[in-house]
Structures are given as C-alpha cells and as structure tokens.
C-alpha cells in the first residue's frame, strides 16, 4: 500500500469517523435538550395556571375567571394557544391557535386518569408542543382539562434539517481535507521521494555522476545533501580504487618488462662473451688489411666492415646496459640545465619549442642518464618531423614532474603503440635504428621511480610523457622497477 493511502486509511479515516460520531451525538443531545427545555417550560406553565383555572371552574361565573387566567398565560413567551375543556371534551373557553390538536377522546382520557399528557403535534404549517393537564378542585374532584400549546422555536423546527446540513458539510469538508492532504503529500512528500528514488535507481544502473536536486522541504534538502555526499564519497572511493588499479597494472607491466629486460641482459652478456673474441679478431684483421690495401674501393669495403663490427659491438653493449642493474648517481639537478644539456646533443635542437615552468623545479636524479632519455626522445621527434614542430613542455602535478615531448609528424600507428618500448622494435628503415633507444629510456625512467607513456598531442603526431617524482631521497640506488 502506498504511504499516502496508508496515512489516509490509518489516521484520517478513524479521525473523521470519530468527529462524525461526536457531531451526531452533539446534534442529538442538542435536540434532546431543546425538547426537554420546551416540555419543562410547558409543564411549569400548566401547573402555574392550572390551580387558578381549577378554582375558576368552581365559580358561578367561570367564564370571566377563565378569561382572566388564560390572558395571564399569554404573557409567557411563545404561548400560542390555551384552552379549557370540560371532562367530556367540550371546550369551555380558549384563546389562540391549535384548538384541535387533541381529539375529545384524548381529553376525556386525561380527565378520567388525572395524568398529564404531552405530545408534539402539527397543525397546518405550525409545529407545537401541546400539553393536557387535568383541572381539579382543591378537594381533588376533576373539573376539566387545560390544553397549553407552545410553538416550537426555529432551531426546534429545523433540527432535522440542520442535522442533514451538518452531515453534508462534514462530508464536504472531509473530502476537501482529504484532497488537500493528498495534494500536499503528493507535492511535498511523494514527489521528492520519487526524485530521490529515481536518482538512486539511475546511480544503481550505472549513472555514477547522477545527483539529487536540492529542492523541497528542509528535511528533503538535508536528505539530498546526505545522499549526494554519500555518492560523492563513493565516487571518490571508486576513483581512488581505479587509480590504484591502474597503478598496479602499470607497475605489473613495468615489472614484467624489467624482468624481460633482465633476462635479455643475461642473454646479452652471454652473447657478448661469445661474440667478443670473434668480433675482435674480425676487427683486427680488417684493420690490418685496411692498412695494406692500396685500392680505394677495397679500403672503403674494409672500412664498412669495421663500421658494421663497431655497430654490432655497440648493440651488444646496449643490450648489456639494458639488462644490468644501474647504479644511479643521484644528485640535485635543475630542470633547465637538464633540458639545455639534451638540446645541445640533438641535431637541430635550436628549433625545438621549449615550455618550462617558472621557476624551473629541481629534482634529485642521475643527470647523465636523464639527459640520455631526453636526448633520445628529442632525437626521435626531430627525425619524425625534420622540418616540422617539436615541443618540449613540463609541468608539476602533485609533487611529480611531467615532461612531454611532442611532434607534428606522422605519429605511431595504433597497431604499433603497444610495442614501442619493446627491445629491437623500430619503425625506422633497416640500418637506421637498433630499436633499443625507447627500451633504454623506459629502463632509466623506471629506475628513477617514474613512468613513460605514449599519448596524443594537438600537434597531430606522437607524444611521449615522462613522469618523475621530485623527491627521490627515499628510493634506494639501483633498485629495479
């Protein structure tokens, strides 16, 4: 059952029934009091003049005495008729209206019994209360009957009509009160509850940003504020859980990549050990032949052989650096000095757009290794957009430094974005890149307790974001990510 119907059924209906019963009892009591008062007045009047009329009937000329006594009776208010009958029911003398209210048989019965008779009677358009009082001599001998007629008052005449009017008014008022309560309940209680219920259903359905409107009475505004506060707290908790989940996922990815790099470093160390001696022999023999060669083409081919050997040695060394633990030489370094050192090592670094916060922050890090990271990222951006825009920007967010390197080049295809930090993966033509630069940058940033991600840029190309903590004092040197 709905709340409003429950209130009407359990509160208003019993209340209205009690009020109706009380009203009807009050009306009946009023009617009884009026009738009792009317009867008492008629009885008192009849007894007051009955003695004088009984004495007058014993006189030789009773008519004059009766006339005088009846005229005295009319001095009482609302006495509209007074008649004297003999014991056989014949009128002796009378004044006013209502002579025929009683039959002669009723009059004779009163004379014979000696008991009074009172009744409500209608005559023509009037309503009376009429009483028959036996008239006796002082010795108790019956001489006649007195009839006194008193006209009902307006309230007495319309007591039944007033009862119907009161009942009808009560019903109309009850219906109006119920309708008013229903409207007020609907507007001020049910609708705010429905709005709160709708918000809760939508939040339960997935609309986590839905909030209750602060409308209605104070209680509902407080309830809406409490509900919104609870939803905000839940949203903050969900956001915190999601942020932790993402951090855990990122940490797990870094751990897997670090493990992969460590395994690769072990493999690279073994490969370097096995290839070191043959490569040294090849390089030495090529160098000896190069000194003896007299033909330029032969010297050029031998020089190329030595260059490729040096390239193989460099790749092996990078693999070994990628897999081994790094001892970080942590020291305070200014961001602007770090950026200037990287720009000096990049071809075309003068044309790179730089946006640094003022004043530039200072972080504790291995300046040489972070310079290598920035140099690698800027060099890749310049190679992706030789004549275009390359932008380096930085900002501080929650005690972390965020560095972004962006370009307006062709970008990195979606199918390659998940592999850009894998060793030996490169989009450059064969012979122009080893595919170890970004993997090495990822390892260095992880060693500093930070992260490096690939994102979007408004320039239209690729964007790499490096996030580093500004305070590295509590991180042990050389700890693997």
């Amino acid at each position: 059952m709905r709340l409003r119907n429950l209130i009407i059924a359990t509160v208003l209906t019993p209340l209205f029934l009690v009020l109706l019963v009380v009203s009807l009892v009050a009306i009946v009591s009023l009617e009884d009091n009026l009738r009792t008062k009317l009867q008492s007045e008629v009885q008192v009047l009849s007894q007051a003049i009955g003695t004088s009329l009984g004495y007058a009937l014993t006189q030789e000329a009773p008519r004059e005495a009766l006339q005088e006594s009846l005229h005295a009776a009319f001095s009482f208010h609302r006495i509209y008729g007074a008649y004297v009958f003999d014991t056989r029911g014949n009128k002796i003398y009378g004044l006013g209206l209502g002579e025929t209210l009683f039959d002669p048989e009723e009059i004779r019965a009163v004379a014979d019994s000696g008991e009074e008779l009172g009744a409500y009677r209608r005559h023509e358009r009037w309503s009376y209360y009429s009483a028959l009082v036996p008239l006796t001599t002082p010795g108790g001998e019956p001489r006649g009957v007195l009839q006194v007629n008193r006209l009902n008052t307006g309230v007495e005449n319309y007591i039944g009509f007033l009862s119907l009017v009161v009942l009808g008014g009560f019903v109309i008022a009850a219906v109006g009160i119920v309708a008013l309560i229903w409207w007020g309940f609907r507007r001020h209680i049910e609708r705010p509850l429905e709005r709160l219920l709708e918000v809760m259903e939508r939040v339960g359905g997935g609309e986590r940003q839905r909030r209750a409107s602060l409308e209605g009475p104070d209680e509902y505004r407080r309830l809406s504020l409490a509900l919104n506060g609870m939803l905000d707290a839940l949203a903050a908790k969900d956001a915190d859980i999601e942020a932790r989940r993402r951090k855990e996922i990122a940490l797990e990815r870094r751990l897997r990549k670090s493990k992969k790099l460590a395994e690769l470093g072990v493999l690279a160390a073994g490969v370097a050990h096995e290839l070191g001696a043959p490569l040294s022999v090849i390089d030495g023999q090529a160098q000896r032949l190069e000194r003896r060669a007299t033909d330029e083409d032969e010297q050029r081919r031998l020089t190329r052989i030595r260059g490729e050997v040096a390239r193989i040695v460099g790749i092996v060394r990078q693999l070994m650096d990628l897999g081994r633990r790094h001892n970080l030489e942590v020291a305070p370094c200014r961001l602007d000095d770090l950026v200037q050192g990287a720009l000096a090592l990049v071809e075309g670094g003068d044309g790179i757009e730089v946006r640094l916060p003022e004043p530039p922050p200072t972080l504790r890090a291995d300046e040489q290794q972070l310079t290598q990271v920035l140099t690698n990222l800027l060099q890749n951006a310049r190679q992706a957009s030789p004549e275009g825009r390359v932008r380096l920007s930085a900002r501080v967010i929650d005690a972390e430094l965020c560095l972004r390197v962006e370009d307006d080049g062709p970008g990195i295809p979606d199918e390659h974005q998940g592999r850009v930090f894998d060793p030996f993966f490169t989009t450059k033509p064969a012979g122009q890149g080893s595919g170890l630069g970004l993997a090495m940058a990822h390892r260095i940033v992880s060693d500093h307790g930070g992260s490096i991600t690939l994102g979007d840029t408004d320039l239209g190309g690729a964007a790499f974001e490096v996030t580093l903590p500004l305070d590295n004092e509590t991180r042990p040197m050389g700890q693997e990510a």
Side-chain angles (χ1 to χ4, degrees):
M1 181 181 290
R2 299 182 70 89
L3 182 59
R4 65 166 181 268
N5 298 334
L6 187 63
I7 292 176
I8 292 174
T10 60
V11 178
L12 295 181
T13 300
L15 178 62
F16 288 150
L17 290 176
V18 171
L19 292 177
L20 178 60
V21 171
V22 171
S23 300
L24 293 178
V25 170
I27 292 173
V28 172
S29 299
L30 175 63
E31 183 178 5
D32 291 342
N33 290 334
L34 291 175
R35 291 181 183 274
T36 302
K37 181 179 180 182
L38 182 61
Q39 294 174 11
S40 299
E41 290 178 354
V42 172
Q43 290 175 358
V44 171
L45 176 62
S46 301
Q47 293 174 0
I49 65 176
T51 302
S52 61
L53 290 175
Y55 178 77
L57 289 175
T58 63
Q59 303 297 318
E60 296 180 357
R63 186 176 182 82
E64 289 78 6
L66 292 175
Q67 183 177 3
E68 181 179 355
S69 297
L70 292 180
H71 276 289
F74 273 88
S75 63
F76 291 93
H77 187 53
R78 289 186 295 174
I79 297 298
Y80 275 71
Y83 297 91
V84 177
F85 300 92
D86 59 17
T87 56
R88 294 186 299 275
N90 298 319
K91 185 178 78 169
I92 300 175
Y93 186 76
L95 297 173
L97 304 176
E99 177 183 349
T100 60
L101 293 177
F102 292 96
D103 296 334
E105 291 79 7
E106 294 175 314
I107 297 174
R108 286 195 296 269
V110 171
D112 294 339
S113 64
E115 296 180 356
E116 296 181 4
L117 174 65
Y120 287 92
R121 300 294 172 88
R122 286 192 68 85
H123 180 67
E124 296 179 351
R125 60 189 183 90
W126 302 104
S127 176
Y128 302 90
Y129 178 75
S130 183
L132 294 177
V133 180
L135 300 176
T136 60
T137 63
E141 181 183 356
R143 289 287 187 175
V145 176
L146 170 64
Q147 177 182 338
V148 178
N149 303 328
R150 181 171 179 179
L151 187 67
N152 285 345
T153 62
V155 176
E156 295 161 350
N157 288 329
Y158 296 103
I159 194 70
F161 176 73
L162 289 176
S163 300
L164 295 177
V165 170
V166 170
L167 181 61
F170 180 83
V171 172
I172 294 175
V175 172
I177 292 173
V178 171
L180 183 62
I181 292 177
W182 182 91
W183 176 83
F185 187 92
R186 174 68 179 168
R187 177 179 177 85
H188 300 293
I189 297 179
E190 194 171 54
R191 287 183 179 175
L193 283 177
E194 288 178 351
R195 289 197 295 267
L196 290 177
L197 180 60
E198 180 185 3
V199 170
M200 296 174 69
E201 288 177 347
R202 292 196 174 186
V203 170
E207 297 184 24
R208 298 302 177 89
Q209 302 302 321
R210 190 78 176 183
R211 295 295 181 269
S213 61
L214 303 180
E215 298 177 0
D218 292 339
E219 291 78 3
Y220 287 98
R221 286 200 292 270
R222 292 169 59 189
L223 184 60
S224 298
L225 285 172
L227 176 62
N228 292 343
M230 181 184 68
L231 294 177
D232 291 340
L234 290 176
K237 182 65 68 176
D238 290 343
D240 183 62
I241 293 174
E242 180 64 20
R244 291 185 180 183
R245 187 183 68 84
R246 291 180 179 177
K247 288 183 178 179
E248 290 176 356
I249 293 175
L251 178 60
E252 184 179 358
R253 289 176 179 174
R254 289 199 299 268
L255 289 174
R256 288 200 302 265
K257 188 172 289 294
S258 298
K259 183 177 180 181
K260 183 192 300 183
L261 294 177
E263 293 173 351
L264 183 60
V266 174
L267 176 62
V271 172
H273 178 73
E274 296 297 329
L275 294 181
L279 289 176
S280 299
V281 171
I282 294 173
D283 183 64
Q285 294 296 326
Q287 183 179 9
R288 187 175 298 110
L289 292 174
E290 184 182 12
R291 286 197 299 266
R292 295 177 181 179
T294 57
D295 184 62
E296 292 183 0
D297 291 338
E298 185 178 357
Q299 286 183 348
R300 191 163 42 251
R301 286 193 295 270
L302 291 171
T303 301
R304 183 177 179 184
I305 290 173
R306 292 191 65 199
E308 293 300 324
V309 170
R311 183 167 175 266
I312 294 174
V313 173
I315 292 174
V316 172
R317 186 178 297 111
Q318 287 181 351
L319 283 174
M320 295 178 68
D321 292 337
L322 189 64
R324 72 163 62 103
R325 289 176 175 266
H326 292 275
N327 293 322
L328 300 180
E329 298 180 2
V330 177
C333 58
R334 288 171 51 89
L335 178 61
D336 52 347
D337 296 337
L338 188 67
V339 171
Q340 292 300 324
L343 292 176
L345 299 175
V346 177
E347 183 179 356
D350 295 340
I352 295 176
E353 179 182 351
V354 179
R355 298 179 182 178
L356 301 181
E358 290 293 340
T362 299
L363 66 159
R364 292 181 57 83
D366 189 319
E367 183 174 357
Q368 180 179 359
Q369 293 193 21
L370 287 186
T371 301
Q372 180 182 351
V373 172
L374 281 182
T375 302
N376 191 295
L377 294 178
L378 292 172
Q379 188 66 42
N380 288 345
R382 178 53 72 195
Q383 292 175 357
S385 179
E387 304 297 333
R389 294 180 60 188
V390 175
R391 182 168 62 199
L392 171 61
S393 60
R395 65 186 187 279
V396 177
I397 303 176
D398 296 334
E400 289 185 333
L401 176 64
C402 297
L403 293 168
R404 281 180 66 87
V405 177
E406 306 166 82
D407 62 69
D408 61 355
I412 298 176
D414 294 340
E415 62 272 18
H416 294 162
Q417 291 185 4
R419 303 175 57 195
V420 292
F421 298 108
D422 291 343
F424 302 110
F425 178 81
T426 180
T427 59
K428 298 176 182 179
Q432 294 187 13
S434 63
L436 295 174
L438 290 178
M440 181 62 69
H442 182 279
R443 180 55 189 266
I444 293 174
V445 172
S446 297
D447 287 342
H448 282 79
S451 63
I452 179 171
T453 57
L454 173 65
D456 298 326
T457 173
D458 55 0
L459 298 182
F464 286 89
E465 182 168 285
V466 177
T467 302
L468 295 169
L470 288 177
D471 184 6
N472 267 347
E473 289 183 335
T474 60
R475 182 173 179 81
M477 294 184 183
Q479 179 178 336
E480 293 189 17

